[in-house]
Amino acid sequence: SYIITINTIPSLRDLAIDVAKRIPNQLDEQVRLGRKTLYDTWVHAYPGKDGEPDMQIPGGGSDHAGFITLAGVPVLDFNMVNATRHAYPLYHSLFETPFLNEHLYDTPDFAMHRTIGRYWAELARTLADSAVLPINVTRAAEEMAENYVFELRKEVFKLPVSTDIMESIKQVDLLEKAAEKFLVKAQSFAGHCDYVQRTNDQKKLRGLNERIMMTERCFVNPRGAPDAPQNRHVLYSLSDKNLYAGKVMAAVYDAIDDYVDAVDKKKAGRNLAEQISIIYHAVHCAINTLKHFF
């Protein structure tokens, strides 16, 4: 059977889920199993944490990678795949014909095409009609505070203890405190958004949307990653060791790998501390963007 798969960043996960719940399932065999919406089939085939569908960070194989890695524009990469093969037969072959789609793959009546088309149209409508952009900065802050920093701390503490990594450990401590503050500010900002939406003050709504977009831009480093100036997003750019896999804080983890292999541990340790400090300053930028100014 064919199922939607979605790769996106945390701030767009709620949007991806909410829209999927509105789209009726067009595949008869799945409807008979009680999966009446696109969301039902998705979460059944790809279960993730907290009862939600699994969503990965878009990797280099995505056509949208440049938007997030270079410009800091949130992206949502979705497609229909075979839940068993994670692709579809005869992909990129001479035998991939319109007749095959109409009579064998996409029955009845182009069900998958209609489903994915409706999903895309509803995404566009939601983005256009929402008074406040459906980009959830609280989700991003939660991932930073509860996941990203936690995993980074584990990796740094796996390194042999030496004076070469002490500055990196200090930077992780600072990042952890900043991430906690970021989460508090994001939660407060979400409450403020709810209040402004009730007032329907257009000037304030525009201000909220600008702050949401600028929060995303805080994580863009104009200099880019070392030896990869096109990878400017400090959280969701590509690793120079794997151009296809989506990885969080790739430049930091690349610096950890470089430290392990380095002959000059002191230089590699300084580079690792610098990469962590870049994340720290990006988080502080987001905190200041979300502050309430009176």
Side-chain angles (χ1 to χ4, degrees):
S1 60
Y2 287 85
I3 309 293
I4 194 170
T5 63
I6 298 176
N7 296 324
T8 191
I9 63 175
S11 58
L12 287 183
R13 285 180 187 166
D14 286 340
L15 173 65
I17 289 171
D18 291 344
V19 173
K21 289 180 177 178
R22 302 177 211 157
I23 307 302
N25 192 352
Q26 302 291 323
L27 300 177
D28 294 340
E29 70 272 17
Q30 294 182 13
V31 173
R32 286 194 293 268
L33 294 172
R35 300 167 200 151
K36 297 182 179 180
T37 70
L38 189 60
Y39 177 83
D40 295 333
T41 64
W42 179 24
V43 73
H44 177 266
Y46 299 107
K49 63 181 181 180
D50 301 326
E52 294 180 347
D54 181 49
M55 284 176 269
Q56 300 297 316
I57 301 300
S62 164
D63 294 335
H64 317 303
F67 287 93
I68 184 68
T69 62
L70 182 66
V73 176
V75 298
L76 197 153
D77 179 24
F78 57 92
N79 55 79
M80 299 289 281
V81 299
N82 185 288
T84 303
R85 301 180 183 90
H86 305 290
Y88 54 87
L90 308 182
Y91 180 53
H92 283 183
S93 77
L94 178 67
F95 304 102
E96 186 184 11
T97 64
F99 180 91
L100 195 69
N101 273 285
E102 181 178 359
H103 297 285
L104 294 178
Y105 286 170
D106 203 359
T107 59
D109 302 322
F110 294 103
M112 287 185 296
H113 281 78
R114 284 187 284 123
T115 299
I116 206 72
R118 293 182 70 171
Y119 184 76
W120 169 226
E122 184 62 14
L123 272 176
R125 188 201 64 78
T126 302
L127 287 165
D129 289 352
S130 297
V132 174
L133 288 171
I135 299 174
N136 192 337
V137 294
T138 303
R139 277 269 205 170
E142 287 172 348
E143 283 294 314
M144 175 61 72
E146 300 170 8
N147 186 5
Y148 298 167
V149 178
F150 177 75
E151 293 298 326
L152 176 60
R153 178 176 288 279
K154 286 198 303 183
E155 291 301 313
V156 170
F157 273 79
K158 287 180 183 178
L159 299 174
V161 178
S162 72
T163 56
D164 299 324
I165 65 162
M166 292 309 298
E167 184 58 34
S168 298
I169 293 173
K170 291 178 184 178
Q171 290 297 326
V172 172
D173 290 337
L174 290 172
L175 178 59
E176 185 174 38
K177 293 176 182 177
E180 292 170 356
K181 191 173 181 180
F182 179 29
L183 179 56
V184 171
K185 291 297 181 185
Q187 291 168 336
S188 175
F189 179 76
H192 183 58
C193 287
D194 291 340
Y195 168 75
V196 173
Q197 284 189 86
R198 289 194 298 270
T199 66
N200 199 32
D201 186 317
Q202 295 301 306
K203 184 177 180 180
K204 290 182 179 179
L205 286 170
R206 285 196 301 273
L208 291 180
N209 288 329
E210 289 175 2
R211 289 165 69 189
I212 290 171
M213 290 188 293
M214 290 309 299
T215 299
E216 294 287 341
R217 302 295 191 277
C218 279
F219 294 93
V220 174
N221 176 11
R223 294 179 298 170
D227 302 319
Q230 73 278 10
N231 292 337
R232 305 199 310 164
H233 202 292
V234 300
L235 296 182
Y236 306 124
S237 284
L238 305 177
S239 167
D240 62 6
K241 305 181 190 305
N242 188 336
L243 297 178
Y244 279 92
K247 190 172 183 179
V248 175
M249 297 193 291
V252 174
Y253 284 97
D254 285 349
I256 291 175
D257 292 340
D258 291 341
Y259 177 84
V260 172
D261 298 332
V263 175
D264 188 344
K265 295 291 186 184
K266 186 174 183 179
K267 180 179 179 181
R270 285 199 303 268
N271 179 55
L272 174 57
E274 179 184 357
Q275 294 306 314
I276 299 172
S277 74
I278 290 171
I279 308 289
Y280 167 77
H281 285 290
V283 172
H284 256 290
C285 171
I287 292 169
N288 290 329
T289 303
L290 295 177
K291 278 182 179 179
H292 300 320
F293 294 97
F294 301 97

